Amino acid sequence: MPKWNDLQEQSFLESDARARAVGLVDEGTYTELAGPFDRFYSPHLEVLGEAVEFDDGIVTAVGKIGKTPVFVISQEGRFIGGSVGEVGGAKMVNTIRLAIEFHDKLVADYPDISDEEKPVVVISFETGGVRLHESNAGLLAHAEVMDQLQKARHKVPVITLIGSKVGCFGGMGFVAAATDAIVMSEFGRLGLTGPEVIEQEMGKEEFDSSDRALVFRTTGGRHKYIMGDCNVLVHNTIGAFREAVAKLAVLPVSEFEKMRRIGSPEAVERQLRAVALAAEMQPQDARDVWVKAGNPDPVALTDIPLDEFLADVKRLSV
Amino acid sequence: MEATETMMGRGRDAIDMIVDADSFNEGTIGAKTFDDPEFGPGAVVGTAALNGETVTIIASDANAFNEKFPVVYAGIIGMEEGYKMAQAVYASLEADKAKPVAEKRPLVLIVDTPGNGPGKVEEIFGMNKATGAYQLALAEARLAGHPIVAMVIGRAISGAFLCHGLQADHIVSLDANFGTMIHVMPLTSVSRIIRKDLETLQELSKGNPVFAAGPRFFYALGGVEELVGTIEGMRPTIIEHIKAIRAAKAAGEAEKLGPWGRGQLGAEREGRKVRPEVIKLMNQEFAAVAEKYAPSR
Amino acid sequence: MALNTLEFDLKLDEVTHSIDTPIHLGVVGSGDMEVLMEPKDLKGAVSVRIVTPVAGFDELWKRVVEKFVSETLLGDVHLEINDNNATPAVVLLRLRQGFAEATGE
């Protein structure tokens, strides 16, 4: 593991799950839960003769940023695409559950507790969702995560980070959407249906999954920022993601409600206005929507440096 | 297994078979009405009486086609459908918000859906939000005390089952001989993608329910509370489960319901045996260091 | 179809040294591996456990680990590897990285 200071400058995109988890919290505060020395690998992969990993591809830990206890979940895309099975799913679910229980205990024990002393959950996604080798267990774990996200509402803020190679797709695409705040880099991708499946459904002339630029402007960080699906767009270093989390972590939980895209009748009405716009526009390309949002030169938006993009871009308002 | 009658593609018929005769009022839930017939036609929402009690019904219409979003047909849940289903849940919450927990109306989800909308426009605007919105609404209603029963009558496939079904308090399913399908992918596709031969997978699935397709495997994993053996059995089974859910909530045993409850059921039925071990160990490990993360005073 | 497990011990004739803290390193990506290195009283020996989907390379595994142990003069250490088709060069690289981390070199 590189030194903590070096991790801060390290590319988030290139970092493995543990480097991201360690670098996100303050130096020396990291405690891994169900870590590799516990050897909780997948018994189902073992039966199928598939390589196993001691942490089952999901790093779960607790650390601190300043005064805030931070429960971290970090997915490893290089291990079977960051897919979620029985063990990794249980680790994810129980990390959120532990954060909620800890919140309740702290509130009871410390009547004068401040917002920044209350726990948050941070999930660094890198996954296509369910692991097919244990698909049923993976699917059921997704439902458990959604349940815990709702149970965390108004208590423990849950912050999504997306900036790793695999992106965040499949069932985990809606898990991310259901969290309170979403931080992405421009290399992050968020969606439900992966590009290959869209091509399969619609034909190559409608959606060419090998067109990297097309894939990025449909699901990438800049697009999601314009759509309001990503709250904060940051540079591609662990330190930049950490800084974004640190700023969010001190806020009262009520502030997080304002950042949500879904989770209330009002949010659903707002999304339905966007869907009505989609029906009316029938966009052929994400750029059509960027123009609608007030960006007259959408092609330039892809190429300008990130800081310029953040200064110039108009975000869609419905 | 003998092939029998199937309910696949017959969501509207299922509503009539389950609720009290002629009681289904489509498009109205409490004060909320759904007046535009072209809005989310793949989702059927409304109010009915079940054993004399007011219930919200949410189902898919396999015969509907959404002109605005052509990926929506055959029971697929598109963006409009997902948000419409969420609206139906919020309307139920609103209608009963002044009522005590014991009187919150049940929600009955009739499940026959092959997927979430898989299109380009859907990705540009965020299909993930629509399906997520509905799940959060269901979880909120469940935690507020509304009993929620999902009745699988046909297809309960992958993300669509997560969207419409897996957030219920209890899930019941017509048994496999009715052609019900619960899976992420059929075993033939799993075999192709993970490159393991089909015969081996079929053999392994006899001892391990974790990857094979079908309601019986989900039963073994605790993913389905009960299998229903007859079509006539749907109505009384749902009534029974609503009663049991109410009793559990009244007794303060909500943790035995919903996705978390089904996790425990999966351990009892020995389909998911590692899950509780992982959870137990994490709890112990965190308890040992928790003090370090509490405020310093 | 199950995974292959390989277990063996190695002991050098020379004076060996152990490591101070347990180390975990690596990700089980395709063509890669992870290793746990734990200090353990084994009377100077190194115990090795390798779990891999690949069968039939037992001798090669032994030679590679032997090379690593003799160049580092390691003893009283338990090594545990999860492999996913790593080449001998990658195996040596990961073991050396693990050792460097364990000894702070």
Side-chain angles (χ1 to χ4, degrees):
Chain A
M1 181 67 55
K3 296 217 160 41
W4 188 88
N5 277 323
D6 298 338
L7 279 177
Q8 299 306 307
E9 292 306 312
Q10 192 168 306
S11 157
F12 191 91
L13 182 69
E14 306 287 335
S15 296
D16 67 43
R18 190 159 287 102
R20 280 178 263 139
V22 171
L24 282 169
V25 296
D26 290 350
E27 189 171 12
T29 66
Y30 180 87
T31 305
E32 195 157 329
L33 304 172
F37 292 98
D38 290 328
R39 297 171 170 83
F40 258 119
Y41 56 85
S42 163
H44 311 302
L45 290 174
E46 188 181 30
V47 168
L48 291 169
E50 290 285 325
V52 296
E53 187 163 276
F54 287 126
D55 59 19
D56 200 34
I58 295 190
V59 173
T60 46
V62 55
K64 267 188 148 180
I65 297 181
K67 293 179 178 174
T68 310
V70 182
F71 288 77
V72 186
I73 298 163
S74 184
Q75 298 173 327
E76 179 53 64
R78 281 194 286 156
F79 183 65
I80 326 183
S83 56
V84 178
E86 182 180 353
V87 172
K91 287 171 71 174
M92 227 179 146
V93 170
N94 201 45
T95 303
I96 307 172
R97 194 177 156 86
L98 279 171
I100 300 169
E101 281 177 357
F102 194 51
H103 166 276
D104 292 351
K105 182 174 158 33
L106 292 184
V107 168
D109 291 355
Y110 300 85
D112 63 336
I113 190 165
S114 65
D115 288 320
E116 61 178 320
E117 290 171 324
K118 293 180 189 167
V120 301
V121 173
V122 176
I123 311 177
S124 174
F125 286 95
E126 186 179 20
T127 179
V130 171
R131 179 182 295 162
L132 284 180
H133 308 76
E134 40 191 305
S135 53
N136 301 344
L139 194 74
L140 295 172
H142 276 67
E144 288 189 54
V145 176
M146 289 299 281
D147 175 44
Q148 293 301 330
L149 289 181
Q150 182 59 33
K151 286 173 176 162
R153 293 284 296 281
H154 313 293
K155 289 184 174 181
V156 179
V158 181
I159 303 166
T160 283
L161 312 182
I162 304 172
S164 299
K165 286 231 168 103
V166 176
C168 176
F169 288 95
M172 283 292 148
F174 55 69
V175 168
T179 62
D180 292 292
I182 300 185
V183 182
M184 292 177 80
S185 79
E186 57 187 318
F187 303 118
R189 290 179 297 134
L190 168 61
L192 183 64
T193 311
E196 291 80 11
V197 183
I198 301 178
E199 179 183 305
Q200 196 183 315
E201 294 283 332
M202 307 188 72
K204 208 176 178 75
E205 49 298 329
E206 272 292 305
F207 197 90
D208 180 356
S209 66
S210 63
D211 183 344
R212 210 177 127 77
L214 171 68
V215 168
F216 264 88
R217 66 178 181 267
T218 308
T219 56
R222 291 193 187 205
H223 171 63
K224 290 290 157 188
Y225 185 74
I226 294 172
M227 298 302 288
D229 292 353
C230 151
N231 303 92
V232 188
L233 190 62
V234 299
H235 284 277
N236 174 38
T237 61
I238 292 180
F241 274 91
R242 170 191 157 76
E243 197 185 317
V245 173
K247 275 188 195 151
L248 291 167
V250 295
L251 298 175
V253 70
S254 55
E255 286 297 312
F256 283 89
E257 282 298 311
K258 299 175 195 162
M259 292 180 228
R260 298 190 63 88
R261 335 94 306 268
I262 52 173
S264 67
E266 299 72 29
V268 164
E269 295 311 316
R270 197 168 66 242
Q271 292 300 340
L272 275 170
R273 290 199 291 277
V275 172
L277 181 67
E280 178 200 315
M281 285 182 68
Q282 296 291 333
Q284 289 303 301
D285 193 293
R287 284 177 185 144
D288 300 346
V289 189
W290 300 0
V291 172
K292 185 84 188 169
N295 302 286
D297 186 2
V299 177
L301 278 186
T302 326
D303 302 324
I304 54 174
L306 183 64
D307 292 325
E308 254 176 72
F309 172 88
L310 289 170
D312 295 350
V313 73
K314 302 283 187 299
R315 303 174 76 187
L316 185 69
S317 130
V318 286
Chain B
M1 246 182 312
E2 212 173 307
T4 37
E5 199 181 348
T6 175
M7 289 301 294
M8 202 177 301
R10 297 172 59 199
R12 287 182 180 278
D13 291 348
I15 297 173
D16 292 336
M17 291 174 183
I18 290 165
V19 304
D20 298 353
D22 300 321
S23 72
F24 183 52
N25 180 10
E26 185 173 351
T28 300
I29 298 170
K32 168 91 183 162
T33 57
F34 297 81
D35 302 318
D36 177 2
E38 285 169 20
F39 171 63
V44 181
V45 304
T47 304
L50 179 58
N51 212 17
E53 184 178 29
T54 298
V55 298
T56 294
I57 300 286
I58 306 178
S60 296
D61 185 344
N63 298 311
F65 172 65
N66 191 325
E67 302 277 350
K68 288 167 279 178
F69 298 100
V71 297
V72 179
Y73 61 94
I76 283 177
I77 298 170
M79 292 192 287
E80 283 191 344
E81 282 73 18
Y83 290 126
K84 182 180 177 183
M85 289 163 140
Q87 283 181 316
V89 179
Y90 287 129
S92 309
L93 273 160
E94 178 65 23
D96 291 349
K97 87 180 159 193
K99 291 187 181 160
V101 167
E103 291 169 29
K104 305 272 188 198
R105 73 187 63 192
L107 281 70
V108 177
L109 320 180
I110 295 170
V111 182
D112 178 25
T113 171
N116 294 294
K120 179 166 69 178
V121 175
E122 278 72 12
E123 287 307 304
I124 290 173
F125 276 85
M127 181 65 221
N128 59 330
K129 290 180 290 183
T131 172
Y134 177 37
Q135 293 175 61
L136 287 178
L138 284 172
E140 184 176 334
R142 167 164 45 77
L143 298 171
H146 291 268
I148 307 180
V149 177
M151 172 77 234
V152 180
I153 62 162
R155 299 152 299 169
I157 313 294
S158 197
F161 188 32
L162 281 168
C163 176
H164 184 51
L166 279 168
Q167 285 304 319
D169 282 300
H170 278 185
I171 301 170
V172 297
S173 173
L174 282 177
D175 206 346
N177 51 329
F178 294 94
T180 39
M181 299 195 285
I182 309 184
H183 60 235
V184 172
M185 244 180 220
L187 203 55
T188 45
S189 308
V190 171
S191 150
R192 185 167 45 79
I193 294 173
I194 72 171
R195 281 173 273 167
K196 302 283 170 200
D197 70 73
L198 190 59
E199 289 71 36
T200 314
L201 289 180
Q202 280 164 339
E203 192 55 37
L204 283 173
S205 66
K206 287 178 189 163
N208 188 346
V210 86
F211 54 77
R216 292 187 182 176
F217 296 107
F218 272 81
Y219 178 86
L221 290 164
V224 162
E225 268 79 3
E226 188 179 343
L227 297 172
V228 184
T230 63
I231 286 178
E232 302 71 45
M234 294 192 295
R235 176 183 156 94
T237 306
I238 294 168
I239 293 170
E240 241 355 87
H241 279 267
I242 290 172
K243 208 170 130 191
I245 294 162
R246 275 211 200 285
K249 290 187 181 186
E253 293 175 340
E255 285 285 86
K256 292 186 176 172
L257 305 167
W260 181 259
R262 276 187 289 282
Q264 291 159 290
L265 195 58
E268 284 165 31
R269 290 180 183 167
E270 301 192 346
R272 282 183 282 168
K273 286 185 281 200
V274 211
R275 179 189 169 281
E277 291 174 35
V278 176
I279 290 171
K280 189 175 159 202
L281 178 84
M282 286 177 81
N283 291 349
Q284 288 168 353
E285 288 181 345
F286 180 64
V289 297
E291 198 49 43
K292 257 173 71 179
Y293 298 95
S296 46
R297 289 282 189 273
Chain C
M1 192 158 62
L3 285 168
N4 303 292
T5 304
L6 211 67
E7 285 180 294
F8 54 90
D9 293 338
L10 297 168
K11 192 168 186 323
L12 298 175
D13 296 331
E14 291 124 293
V15 178
T16 59
H17 53 89
S18 185
I19 54 175
D20 296 332
T21 50
I23 284 292
H24 168 258
L25 184 129
V27 172
V28 193
S30 181
D32 216 330
M33 56 159 262
E34 68 179 333
V35 60
L36 299 178
M37 295 188 183
E38 296 167 291
K40 193 175 178 183
D41 183 7
L42 295 165
K43 300 192 167 53
V46 175
S47 62
V48 184
R49 178 183 162 88
I50 298 160
V51 176
T52 172
V54 197
F57 291 94
D58 297 16
E59 282 312 308
L60 187 59
W61 273 110
K62 273 183 200 158
R63 283 218 304 279
V64 173
V65 179
E66 240 164 37
K67 183 173 163 63
F68 165 69
V69 170
S70 51
E71 74 185 22
T72 52
L73 298 178
L74 211 56
D76 289 318
V77 171
H78 175 63
L79 296 181
E80 207 161 322
I81 292 170
N82 280 327
D83 166 63
N84 186 10
N85 294 281
T87 61
V90 171
V91 174
L92 257 182
L93 174 71
R94 296 292 176 240
L95 290 174
R96 285 168 180 160
Q97 285 173 332
F99 180 75
E101 200 169 312
T103 53
E105 282 168 18

